[in-house]
Amino acid sequence: MLKRYQVFLALVLGVALLTAAGCGTSTSLRGSITGTIVDSQTGIGVSAASVLTSPSTTTVKTDINGNFTIPDVQPGVYTVTANATDYNSNSITVTVDNGLTATTNLTLVSMGGSFSRNVLPILMVNCSIVGCHDDSTAAAGLRLNSYTSLMKGSRYGAVIYPYDAQGSKLIKRIKGIETPRMPKNRSALSTADQGLLSNWINGGARNN
């Protein structure tokens, strides 16, 4: 009888100890990572950039303003990497605390962009128009309706110096550093458009 009582008492004590131990544990709450991916030169958000982490979580795309959120992330330390077309990738380390959101921002350096996709549309709408730099007018002998014409320059020489946007006459005219400012008698180009042109030149002014 005594032996049975001792066994029963041992079982009761064991259950009590397990219960006490269970009460002392805490459950990890998942958090998230949020932030913005921006162009290093213009400060404008980069849309459709891929954002991924190591250790791996969910890969997401930035919205039209460059914002992103990676949900359902276990607490821990992560390397966040952003990739986008025509940009060099960039990474940063963040810590996600229990149940909280880690906020981080990344800047991407442009590899120059595309002439046909980024540069030519700006020139065609703002510069290669009647009375300025289209085929019929070609002010100062400068035509801005093709890559060949742009790189040929004006009768006074080159207007584009690859890898040197700051020294390129086209950028100086567009920014009003030299006169007459371009586009002549029209609104100045937006900061975003100026940035696209500068990025393309600094990336080598490629015919792409």
Side-chain angles (χ1 to χ4, degrees):
M1 183 70 180
L2 179 61
K3 187 174 181 180
R4 289 182 179 178
Y5 177 78
Q6 290 174 334
V7 171
F8 175 77
L9 183 60
L11 289 173
V12 171
L13 289 173
V15 171
L17 289 172
L18 288 173
T19 302
C23 291
T25 61
S26 60
T27 302
S28 294
L29 299 177
R30 292 176 178 266
S32 61
I33 302 172
T34 188
T36 305
I37 310 300
V38 300
D39 184 294
S40 64
Q41 183 157 336
T42 66
I44 295 173
V46 178
S47 63
S50 296
V51 184
L52 59 153
T53 67
S54 178
S56 180
T57 55
T58 302
T59 298
V60 298
K61 293 278 190 180
T62 56
D63 64 17
I64 193 172
N65 296 312
N67 301 315
F68 72 92
T69 297
I70 302 175
D72 199 30
V73 179
Q74 286 278 19
V77 178
Y78 295 86
T79 298
V80 179
T81 300
N83 301 288
T85 302
D86 296 324
Y87 285 90
N88 291 305
S89 63
N90 194 12
S91 300
I92 194 170
T93 300
V94 300
T95 299
V96 178
D97 292 321
N98 197 28
L100 299 178
T101 296
T103 300
T104 185
N105 299 315
L106 278 167
T107 58
L108 297 184
V109 177
S110 173
M111 293 190 296
S114 163
F115 176 78
S116 60
R117 187 171 64 251
N118 303 124
V119 176
L120 187 59
I122 296 173
L123 298 178
M124 293 298 292
V125 170
N126 296 281
C127 304
S128 183
I129 56 178
V130 175
C132 290
H133 299 287
D134 63 333
D135 279 332
S136 61
T137 308
L142 178 63
R143 293 175 173 82
L144 297 177
N145 54 5
S146 72
Y147 179 81
T148 300
S149 297
L150 172 62
M151 299 309 291
K152 181 180 179 181
S154 72
R155 68 171 63 101
Y156 303 107
V159 297
I160 297 292
Y161 302 136
Y163 303 105
D164 183 14
Q166 187 175 355
S168 295
K169 288 188 175 294
L170 180 68
I171 298 301
K172 290 181 178 180
R173 291 292 181 91
I174 285 173
K175 291 187 174 183
I177 297 172
E178 291 186 359
T179 56
R181 183 184 59 78
M182 293 175 62
K184 189 176 181 180
N185 300 324
R186 303 188 70 187
S187 298
L189 294 187
S190 67
T191 300
D193 284 349
Q194 291 184 31
L196 286 171
L197 292 175
S198 293
N199 283 342
W200 174 72
I201 295 172
N202 285 332
R206 298 170 296 161
N207 185 13
N208 55 354

